[in-house]
Amino acid sequence: RLLTSRKAPREQPVAPFSYSQKRGHVLRSLYYFPCQRWLAVEEDDGQIVRELVPVDEAFVKKDSENDGQSLATLGLEQKAKSTTYTVKVKTGDKKNAGTDANVFITLYGSKDDTGIVSLKASKINKNKFERGKVDEFTVESVDIGDLKKIKIGHDNKGNSTGWFLEWVEIDAPSLGQCLKFPCGRWLDKSEDDGAIERIIFPAELQTTEYIPFVPYEITVYTSDIFGAGTDADVFIVLYGSDGICTQQKSLCLNKREQRMYFERNSVNQFIVELEDVGDIIEKIRIGHKGGGLNSGWHLDRVAIRRLLPNGK
């Protein structure tokens, strides 16, 4: 998910060039890799490594002419070129099943793999990989094709390193597929076969397929009146024709983001994957869950667009 805010300083564009001579080499083109994302465990989706894909130079030119408007377009295009995976990891309910080691995972597809991804920021538990617990992580990658297998393991560092892994579940909304990778084995140098990493294949009978999600760009404008901002958990539902609607989706990932966004006279932008409600959005339902000291919110307006199949 990509977040931007009016309060963030706008990046100065780099002028594109082509067929320039430098030290005897021909520079055929400038590759521009937009990010506009946090690389921090405590921010965004918690990832400290990101894969970026280049975008057309025309967007760089447009940025200088359109006062930052193309940053939103870049974000939507970048999101469309990447796949977001929700990774759930179940630690077994056995004595000493939990681990304090650093856990990593690699997803292997029919086209490519994600490389090693550290599972650092669980969305559910402060202490990760505890006995009998399920942890949830977000992994983003460029298109790797159909997911074929995973490799998961740890670095064997810490006071209690042995780990009993029950299963891994990987959900890819943009692909419309959720796969289960059963393990039921120790990753421990003193247990089982002594391995601390394993390659696991999906269980075909436990694979779930559904209609793929699409990326929506949602821009929220908070009013410029006293007390307009909120620290509450803001959510949204999109409604299309024929009664089609998305699931209720929180726009902030955690309480830290709730405190950062939806301030008075602010403009906050989110790119999220939701069910496809079609070409026409008939209405939306937006609100918050209350609670906290400053939950009241004065909303000015909301702007929404989605990426069409032809990339527009």
Side-chain angles (χ1 to χ4, degrees):
R1 191 176 61 128
L2 182 145
L3 307 178
T4 62
S5 173
R6 171 184 285 173
K7 295 182 178 181
R10 185 167 66 89
E11 179 184 348
Q12 294 299 318
V14 179
F17 57 90
S18 59
Y19 294 99
S20 300
Q21 296 289 340
K22 184 177 181 182
R23 294 185 181 180
H25 297 284
V26 177
L27 303 178
R28 296 188 179 277
S29 60
L30 171 67
Y31 290 88
Y32 188 76
F33 297 84
C35 183
Q36 298 292 313
R37 302 286 299 276
W38 283 99
L39 284 78
V41 173
E42 69 278 4
E43 298 284 1
D44 205 336
D45 58 9
Q47 292 299 313
I48 59 175
V49 178
R50 298 200 180 279
E51 288 191 356
L52 304 176
V53 294
V55 299
D56 194 277
E57 290 179 354
F59 284 106
V60 185
K61 296 178 181 177
K62 184 179 178 182
D63 183 40
S64 61
E65 300 170 356
N66 221 9
D67 194 27
Q69 177 62 33
S70 67
L71 284 178
T73 307
L74 289 173
L76 197 58
E77 184 180 89
Q78 188 78 272
K79 184 69 175 178
K81 291 182 178 180
S82 66
T83 302
T84 301
Y85 299 93
T86 298
V87 179
K88 292 184 178 180
V89 180
K90 172 68 183 294
T91 298
D93 190 10
K94 293 177 176 287
K95 184 178 180 180
N96 300 322
T99 184
D100 295 328
N102 297 304
V103 176
F104 60 84
I105 192 171
T106 303
L107 280 55
Y108 294 88
S110 56
K111 299 178 181 178
D112 202 351
D113 64 74
T114 62
I116 297 174
V117 178
S118 297
L119 300 180
K120 289 186 173 293
S122 174
K123 294 182 178 180
I124 301 175
N125 305 305
K126 184 175 181 180
N127 295 319
K128 308 181 295 294
F129 311 118
E130 295 294 315
R131 174 178 175 176
K133 300 292 185 179
V134 175
D135 291 288
E136 183 177 318
F137 306 88
T138 298
V139 174
E140 271 195 14
S141 173
V142 296
D143 183 19
I144 63 172
D146 295 331
L147 188 56
K148 298 296 185 181
K149 63 181 180 180
I150 64 171
K151 179 167 70 174
I152 189 168
H154 61 78
D155 61 3
N156 203 45
K157 294 181 180 179
N159 295 325
S160 178
T161 59
W163 185 34
F164 190 89
L165 173 62
E166 194 69 54
W167 49 257
V168 177
E169 181 183 274
I170 300 180
D171 187 16
S174 64
L175 303 179
Q177 196 173 59
C178 183
L179 297 90
K180 197 74 164 284
F181 296 80
C183 181
R185 298 185 67 177
W186 286 96
L187 284 77
D188 189 339
K189 287 191 173 182
S190 60
E191 297 283 354
D192 204 333
D193 59 0
I196 59 173
E197 62 180 45
R198 298 196 181 280
I199 293 177
I200 313 174
F201 294 87
E204 291 187 9
L205 295 179
Q206 298 183 59
T207 297
T208 303
E209 295 187 348
Y210 54 91
I211 298 174
F213 285 23
V214 296
Y216 288 89
E217 174 194 286
I218 302 173
T219 306
V220 180
Y221 299 79
T222 298
S223 303
D224 185 16
I225 64 174
F226 180 76
T230 183
D231 293 332
D233 184 7
V234 174
F235 63 81
I236 194 169
V237 181
L238 278 55
Y239 293 84
S241 57
D242 301 323
I244 300 174
C245 69
T246 69
Q247 61 183 326
Q248 181 172 299
K249 178 72 173 181
S250 292
L251 295 179
C252 293
L253 293 175
N254 49 49
K255 290 184 178 179
R256 183 184 179 90
E257 288 190 359
Q258 292 174 28
R259 294 191 297 268
M260 291 172 57
Y261 295 98
F262 310 116
E263 296 295 312
R264 172 180 174 175
N265 196 32
S266 65
V267 180
N268 303 118
Q269 189 175 86
F270 308 86
I271 295 181
V272 295
E273 290 178 342
L274 295 170
E275 295 91 339
D276 187 356
V277 298
D279 293 338
I280 299 175
I281 300 176
E282 293 194 343
K283 66 177 181 177
I284 66 172
R285 183 165 64 92
I286 188 168
H288 61 78
K289 299 178 182 179
L293 298 176
N294 302 299
S295 61
W297 184 36
H298 197 284
L299 173 64
D300 183 43
R301 65 190 188 277
V302 180
I304 300 175
R305 64 177 178 174
R306 57 157 290 191
L307 190 74
L308 298 176
N310 60 3
K312 295 184 179 179

